[in-house]
């Protein structure tokens, strides 16, 4: 019964699931062995946080957001605030990732596709935040 309810809610929140799981995968990629930040496009990341801290931050935000989505599949009111908070944090993280890619691209002299992709995900996360607000009834037209 609970899995059916979660599955139904997951379809309604596909964009949120995408953003949350993308953060998890980005964090896992950065935490995996290898020197990802040695590439020129990652120069801004390396200068600010470092590979492990950036990977840990994105992984934690993504996992908490995913957990909020799972719990929200069972109890609606309990986690909508958690979802909104994690979504807001996700918007900030995605904006910072996009900004870091822009800086890295400028330094490398080549525009990397990650700039456009992460900018689009930032906008998607902003829409998710708007939709959560709509669900909670935060908007009043009057």
């Amino acid at each position: 019964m609970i899995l059916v309810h979660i599955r139904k809610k997951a379809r309604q929140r596909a964009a949120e699931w995408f953003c949350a799981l993308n953060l998890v995968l980005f964090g896992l990629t950065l935490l995996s062995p290898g020197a990802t930040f040695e590439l020129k496009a990652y120069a801004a990341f390396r200068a600010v946080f470092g590979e492990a801290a950036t990977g840990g931050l994105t992984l934690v935000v993504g996992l908490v957001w995913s957990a909020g989505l799972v719990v929200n599949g069972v109890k609606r009111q309990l986690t909508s605030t958690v979802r909104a908070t994690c979504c807001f944090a996700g918007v900030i993280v995605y904006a910072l990732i996009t900004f870091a890619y822009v800086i890295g691209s400028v330094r490398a002299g080549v525009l990397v596709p990650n700039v456009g992709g992460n900018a689009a995900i930032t906008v998607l996360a902003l829409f998710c935040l708007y939709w959560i607000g709509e669900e909670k009834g935060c908007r009043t037209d009057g």
Side-chain angles (χ1 to χ4, degrees):
M1 175 95 169
I2 291 174
L3 288 177
V4 171
H5 195 63
I6 290 172
R7 211 178 298 157
K8 180 182 173 189
K9 291 284 188 184
R11 278 187 231 133
Q12 296 170 350
R13 296 181 175 90
E16 273 188 83
W17 276 105
F18 172 79
C19 291
L21 295 176
N22 188 22
L23 280 176
V24 169
L25 293 174
F26 187 73
L28 288 174
T29 301
L30 295 180
L31 293 173
S32 67
T36 306
F37 279 9
E38 294 304 314
L39 302 170
K40 287 185 179 182
Y42 291 95
F45 289 104
R46 186 176 55 244
V48 176
F49 285 127
E51 195 163 346
T54 303
L57 173 68
T58 57
L59 179 65
V60 166
V61 170
L63 286 174
V64 172
W65 194 354
S66 298
L69 284 163
V70 168
V71 173
N72 191 250
V74 180
K75 297 185 179 193
R76 182 177 175 189
Q77 293 300 329
L78 177 66
T79 60
S80 57
T81 304
V82 172
R83 283 178 40 233
T85 304
C86 290
C87 189
F88 182 71
V91 168
I92 292 170
V93 169
Y94 276 122
L96 290 173
I97 289 170
T98 303
F99 187 64
Y101 277 129
V102 168
I103 291 171
S105 292
V106 168
R107 287 185 181 171
V110 177
L111 185 63
V112 294
N114 299 355
V115 172
N118 279 291
I121 296 172
T122 303
V123 171
L124 181 63
L126 277 169
F127 275 117
C128 290
L129 190 59
Y130 172 79
W131 294 325
I132 293 168
E134 285 282 312
E135 261 181 32
K136 286 182 65 86
C138 292
R139 194 177 117 198
T140 58
D141 294 332

